[in-house]
Amino acid sequence: MLILTADSASHFAQIALGHVRREYPHSGNLRLNSPGDLALPHQQHPIFYGSYDWHSCVHSYWLLTHLLRIHPELPEAEAITELFNVQLTAGKVAGELEYFMLPGRQGFERPYGWAWLLKMAHELALLPAGAGEHWRRNLQPLAEELAGRFARYLPKLAFPIRSGSHSNTAFALTLALDYAHQAGDQALQQLICARARHYFLDDQDCRPWEPGGEDFLSPSWQQALLMQRVLPGADFGIWFSRFLPDLAAGQPSCLLSPVGVTDRSDGRLAHLDGLNLSRAWCMRRLSADLPAADARKKLLENVASAHLQAGLAHLQDDYMGEHWLTTFALLALAD
């Protein structure tokens, strides 16, 4: 399956609907200021309490929104609409926002969860006119708060975070940039582009130490994908050739081989299934803009397909992957 079919979209929707309101097991990142801060997940997060953790629940809602937009005839469309009508209310969004506003939570879900919430808001705005306008309007206060947090945070981030997991700067900026474009937030758009250039423009001759044993993102490929979106076409072509000068020869080989997982019941080790999918997403997008005669185009297409097939084979092997892997499969197939 290398394209998103109606059948695969339905399957993805079924997986997400099966866990977005599954409260347990739950993993949370909570700073306690008093005993009163202890509460059940659905009390802390009126909307995003399922899918094992807050950010996975958010990007599962993005998945459902995206599927509803591109396949409105899905058998699951009615269930998605009912879910959104119940969950994406002004009152419940206010509850989510209240959580962010409490002392000591300025960095909660920074930057990964912030970026996915903005990506979800962006997707809601792409629904056909009149479809889901109230969902988008209800979510907007939270989106604006997190966009503001990005605007305040990025000037303070002196150096990019080049990890293979949630703190990765390039991944977050890529999703946030989609929101800024759609929302017409020119200040945020300009800031993201300026910081991306500051962080990555001078990088060249990439010699990556990856993958790491618990990665689900490739720092190198995520950086390239961000710069593809930030730089004009000709400028990006120059940057990309400088960044990966030996790509046509299949180097660095560590970026081009799908990875295996030794234990999918271990949530961190299971990240590597996601790495295969997120690499496929990046490589498919990067190859799309290369000329047909460019040897790197076919190379990236073939390697992306191998990564995609490796990741798709394990979407539901264990709940440690099931609660989030489908999102990255959808990025790779439909973005």
Side-chain angles (χ1 to χ4, degrees):
M1 180 178 65
L2 300 181
I3 60 172
L4 184 70
T5 65
D7 286 345
S8 58
S10 179
H11 180 54
F12 287 2
Q14 290 170 24
I15 294 174
L17 287 168
H19 59 68
V20 288
R21 286 191 283 189
R22 176 176 171 177
E23 192 165 4
Y24 301 104
H26 183 84
S27 176
N29 179 12
L30 177 63
R31 166 177 160 169
L32 299 177
N33 293 315
S34 72
D37 287 339
L38 288 173
L40 298 176
H42 76 271
Q43 295 170 325
Q44 296 172 335
H45 308 296
I47 303 172
F48 305 119
Y49 60 83
S51 304
Y52 189 70
D53 50 38
W54 193 87
H55 52 256
S56 297
C57 198
V58 171
H59 60 64
S60 296
Y61 272 82
W62 167 81
L63 176 147
L64 293 170
T65 307
H66 186 80
L67 294 178
L68 188 63
R69 177 171 68 85
I70 64 173
H71 285 289
E73 76 291 347
L74 277 179
E76 295 75 23
E78 183 177 351
I80 296 171
T81 299
E82 179 182 352
L83 171 72
F84 285 12
N85 283 337
V86 170
Q87 292 295 93
L88 299 183
T89 66
K92 290 186 176 182
V93 172
E96 292 282 351
L97 183 57
E98 181 182 0
Y99 184 88
F100 275 88
M101 304 308 291
L102 291 175
R105 293 178 183 165
Q106 296 88 346
F108 177 70
E109 289 288 351
R110 184 185 77 192
Y112 184 77
W114 295 4
W116 272 116
L117 193 284
L118 295 185
K119 182 72 169 174
M120 178 186 168
H122 163 240
E123 193 69 44
L124 286 171
L126 296 179
L127 289 171
E133 171 60 25
H134 57 298
W135 304 330
R136 185 204 63 78
R137 185 172 59 249
N138 290 343
L139 191 66
Q140 195 58 28
L142 182 56
E144 290 178 355
E145 172 62 28
L146 296 186
R149 292 191 181 201
F150 262 117
R152 295 188 293 274
Y153 168 65
L154 289 176
K156 300 176 185 178
L157 185 66
F159 307 99
I161 300 170
R162 301 174 185 265
S163 77
S165 58
H166 304 88
S167 59
N168 184 275
T169 300
F171 177 84
L173 294 190
T174 299
L175 300 195
L177 187 58
D178 288 343
Y179 168 84
H181 277 304
Q182 182 280 318
D185 188 337
Q186 294 188 357
L188 181 59
Q189 180 180 331
Q190 291 170 2
L191 175 62
I192 290 172
C193 291
R195 297 311 286 167
R197 289 170 177 268
H198 173 76
Y199 297 141
F200 303 121
L201 186 62
D202 292 335
D203 287 2
Q204 55 186 314
D205 197 20
C206 178
R207 292 292 181 266
W209 293 97
E210 56 177 284
E214 298 180 353
D215 286 357
F216 67 91
L217 299 171
S218 163
S220 302
W221 289 125
Q222 291 297 157
Q223 173 181 342
L225 182 62
L226 173 64
M227 296 307 283
Q228 182 190 45
R229 299 191 179 187
V230 166
L231 297 175
D235 291 347
F236 173 73
I238 295 170
W239 181 90
F240 190 50
S241 294
R242 190 175 67 231
F243 181 60
L244 291 169
D246 301 318
L247 181 58
Q251 297 296 327
S253 59
C254 64
L255 296 182
L256 300 171
S257 299
V259 298
V261 177
T262 57
D263 183 358
R264 290 187 170 85
S265 68
D266 184 311
R268 292 188 177 181
L269 296 179
H271 278 175
L272 290 171
D273 279 325
L275 177 64
N276 285 329
L277 295 169
S278 67
R279 280 181 168 187
W281 168 50
C282 293
M283 288 187 281
R284 294 186 99 185
R285 290 294 89 217
L286 290 164
S287 67
D289 285 351
L290 293 175
D294 191 322
R296 297 173 298 176
K297 185 180 185 70
K298 192 63 175 178
L299 171 69
L300 288 177
E301 290 174 348
N302 290 338
V303 173
S305 295
H307 278 78
L308 184 55
Q309 290 171 333
L312 289 173
H314 302 288
L315 297 182
Q316 291 183 278
D317 284 13
D318 188 275
Y319 191 60
M320 288 298 94
E322 181 178 340
H323 75 271
W324 67 280
L325 284 174
T326 314
T327 298
F328 282 83
L330 182 58
L331 280 176
L333 288 168
D335 186 30

